[in-house]
């Protein structure tokens, strides 16, 4: 790991049954990395125009995919950990699958939730025509190829016409992952 990098324990990302460590470098280039329990280190560079420090959360989903959510403040690019490499997860257009945090109109948050068959990745969206009442929806994200490919699944309604202080609205504006350790924050 680079000198000055921030690190935090995370879930087993490499599949050996032991917890691993997520890290974010200090300075330029900006680097997201993993150090496995066995000592292997691998990383990927990233960029973001957002002024805030990035935050990274790792999780292993019910389908076996090991993922990293990289919250850059305006968006959350999705990565998979495959064969001791951090790989950008691709959408159907071939671009990196990225969750919006309310800046481009494609969603307001992301979560890992148990939808009945174990922890699954979902995109969440809180919308309002007047700022007084919100509708909240959740879209299940289907992963394939060990998390390297993602497609949008079924969208369900979580709440309808709720006030802005409703817990469903607050949760729709977060990056959270059930059962995951706290995120590492870029120094």
């Amino acid at each position: 790991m680079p000198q000055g990098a921030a690190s935090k324990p995370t879930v087993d990302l490499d599949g050996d049954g032991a917890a691993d460590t997520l890290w974010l470098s200090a300075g330029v280039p900006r680097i997201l990395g993993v150090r496995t329990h066995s000592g292997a280190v691998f990383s990927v560079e990233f960029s973001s125009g957002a002024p805030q420090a990035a935050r990274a959360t790792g999780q292993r989903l019910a389908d076996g995919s090991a993922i990293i959510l990289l919250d850059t403040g305006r968006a959350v690019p999705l990565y998979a950990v495959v064969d001791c490499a951090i790989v950008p997860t691709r959408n159907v257009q071939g671009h990196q699958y990225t969750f919006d945090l309310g800046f481009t109109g494609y969603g307001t948050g992301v979560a890992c939730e148990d939808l009945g068959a174990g922890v699954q990745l979902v995109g969440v969206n809180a919308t309002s025509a007047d700022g007084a009442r919100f509708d909240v929806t959740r879209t299940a994200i289907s992963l394939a190829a060990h998390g390297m490919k993602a497609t949008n699944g079924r969208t369900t309604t979580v709440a309808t016409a709720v006030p802005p202080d409703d817990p469903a609205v607050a949760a729709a504006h977060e990056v959270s992952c059930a059962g995951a350790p706290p995120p590492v924050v870029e120094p």
Side-chain angles (χ1 to χ4, degrees):
M1 291 187 330
Q3 186 173 0
S7 65
K8 287 267 189 169
T10 192
V11 299
D12 171 24
L13 295 172
D14 64 347
D16 68 357
D20 296 318
T21 301
L22 268 177
W23 57 269
L24 288 163
S25 68
V28 179
R30 296 172 83 181
I31 303 173
L32 165 67
V34 171
R35 183 180 63 217
T36 67
H37 178 74
S38 66
V41 177
F42 45 93
S43 61
V44 65
E45 288 186 23
F46 69 94
S47 62
S48 170
Q52 54 269 78
R55 304 165 66 89
T57 303
Q59 182 59 290
R60 185 165 289 276
L61 303 176
D63 69 0
S65 299
I67 62 157
I68 299 172
L69 298 171
L70 181 64
D71 178 358
T72 60
R74 295 181 181 162
V76 182
L78 177 61
Y79 294 89
V81 177
V82 180
D83 296 329
C84 286
I86 300 172
V87 180
T89 300
R90 300 291 176 187
N91 62 20
V92 294
Q93 293 83 15
H95 303 289
Q96 184 167 16
Y97 195 98
T98 302
F99 295 93
D100 185 27
L101 295 180
F103 289 90
T104 63
Y106 289 104
T108 57
V110 58
C112 304
E113 298 179 0
D114 188 342
L115 301 178
V119 176
Q120 183 177 352
L121 193 59
V122 297
V124 287
N125 194 21
T127 58
S128 176
D130 61 7
R133 294 283 172 204
F134 286 80
D135 295 333
V136 179
T137 58
R138 171 178 58 215
T139 301
I141 308 304
S142 299
L143 298 177
H146 307 287
M148 294 189 298
K149 295 182 180 181
T151 55
N152 291 348
R154 190 173 67 127
T155 298
T156 58
T157 299
V158 175
T160 304
V162 295
D165 60 351
D166 188 272
V169 176
H173 287 92
E174 296 177 351
V175 176
S176 64
C177 213
V184 60
V185 179
E186 190 175 27

